[in-house]
Amino acid sequence: MRDMHRWEQLRPEEFLTEQERAPVVYCAFGPMEDHGLQNALGVDPGKAHEICRRAAHISGGIVFPMVPFAPAGAPPLSREQMLTGEFPLFPPSLFVSVELCRNVAGELFERFAALGFRLCVGFGGHGPAASLLKQMAGEHNGDVTGMSLLTCGSTTYTADIIRESGGDDPKPLSHGGKWETAMNMALNSDYVDLSRVRDIDPSPIPSQLKGRTDTQLRGIEAATVAFGETLIDTAAERLAAEVKGRLG
Ligand SMILES: [Zn+2]
């Protein structure tokens, strides 16, 4: 069975018919990145792509294949900075330079516009990817040769729900926390093994999740597929509503 909103699964006439019906293209960006020993590495582009896919089923439109490139750091690192070895890059995470990401996203936006899309959703499934996309949209005044750009990130549409369900966790929006782990579970429950959460600190593998408090670790262990589904569905509904509003 095919998904009639995924670019790579459509035949040319089907693509053109869908594009005519809803001239919006969704494009999700994110790196392969450590999110703790419990998570498979593709959570960032994976969740962003899935939110886009579900949004396209509501708004119409076409989803480009996930772009597995994003920069590290805030502000995002240049290639020169990465080559100094002075910045932690948490292998086996794989980030690329901000200049490459800027070129990739910039050219994709130009090509989408040349193909006749009227609106592009640039979804950064990773903090520095979202901030770069937002910056690029600002530089273009939200418009690339007649195509509007709508940029967003992983928590743009669900920060309220993540905070409400945070319990006693003082930082419910933390990297690799309950919210991201739950969404990764919703993508595929085999992508997550919650029994590994307590192994993060003693492990020799570097992780941005080292040093989390017991409260935070308990929060991650409370992640469920159902919570991940709620977050992905809610983000998709809210994003699709904004897209429909823009398409008019
Ligand atoms: Zn993430």
Side-chain angles (χ1 to χ4, degrees):
M1 203 173 74
R2 291 185 293 148
D3 182 327
M4 300 307 282
H5 296 277
R6 289 180 69 159
W7 194 312
E8 71 276 26
Q9 299 185 19
L10 295 171
R11 300 190 184 102
E13 315 89 305
E14 294 165 344
F15 179 101
L16 295 170
T17 303
E18 182 58 25
Q19 187 190 29
E20 167 105 32
R21 195 174 74 89
V24 53
V25 55
Y26 290 85
C27 189
F29 300 82
M32 296 301 115
E33 185 187 18
D34 165 71
H35 283 75
L37 293 181
Q38 79 276 17
N39 275 309
L41 295 157
V43 53
D44 280 352
K47 69 187 195 290
H49 186 267
E50 180 61 14
I51 291 167
C52 288
R53 197 188 69 78
R54 294 189 196 187
H57 278 260
I58 303 167
S59 67
I62 295 169
V63 186
F64 192 69
M66 70 166 76
V67 181
F69 301 131
L77 299 177
S78 69
R79 187 173 176 202
E80 199 180 337
Q81 287 174 311
M82 291 172 74
L83 287 171
T84 63
E86 285 169 17
F87 298 89
L89 295 172
F90 303 99
S93 303
L94 195 151
F95 304 100
V96 293
S97 68
V98 66
E99 54 271 30
L100 177 65
C101 296
R102 185 176 265 285
N103 279 336
V104 169
E107 278 206 31
L108 285 174
F109 296 155
E110 283 167 16
R111 290 301 95 208
F112 294 151
L115 285 171
F117 286 104
R118 279 181 35 225
L119 174 63
C120 171
V121 174
F123 199 125
H126 168 76
S131 60
L132 173 64
L133 294 171
K134 192 175 168 200
Q135 190 188 343
M136 290 177 71
E139 290 161 9
H140 287 277
N141 284 325
D143 181 287
V144 181
T145 57
M147 178 186 75
S148 338
L149 257 182
L150 192 175
T151 63
C152 58
S154 302
T155 58
T156 301
Y157 298 104
T158 49
D160 55 332
I161 299 175
I162 297 168
R163 284 202 187 91
E164 273 164 30
S165 66
D168 49 4
D169 183 345
K171 292 181 182 166
L173 291 151
S174 307
H175 175 77
K178 174 184 171 184
W179 67 287
E180 261 189 318
T181 301
M183 283 198 273
N184 210 16
M185 290 170 87
L187 297 182
N188 183 328
S189 57
D190 288 341
Y191 289 173
V192 176
D193 180 354
L194 292 175
S195 75
R196 309 296 320 284
V197 171
R198 303 281 165 171
D199 299 336
I200 295 170
D201 270 334
S203 167
I205 298 174
S207 175
Q208 297 165 84
L209 277 74
K210 281 190 187 289
R212 294 276 165 96
T213 63
D214 184 64
T215 309
Q216 290 178 300
L217 296 178
R218 266 191 288 112
I220 298 172
E221 287 167 336
T224 60
V225 171
F227 183 52
E229 286 289 342
T230 298
L231 292 176
I232 292 175
D233 274 339
T234 306
E237 283 159 19
R238 292 175 177 176
L239 170 58
E242 202 172 335
V243 165
K244 281 178 162 176
R246 295 259 196 131
L247 288 178

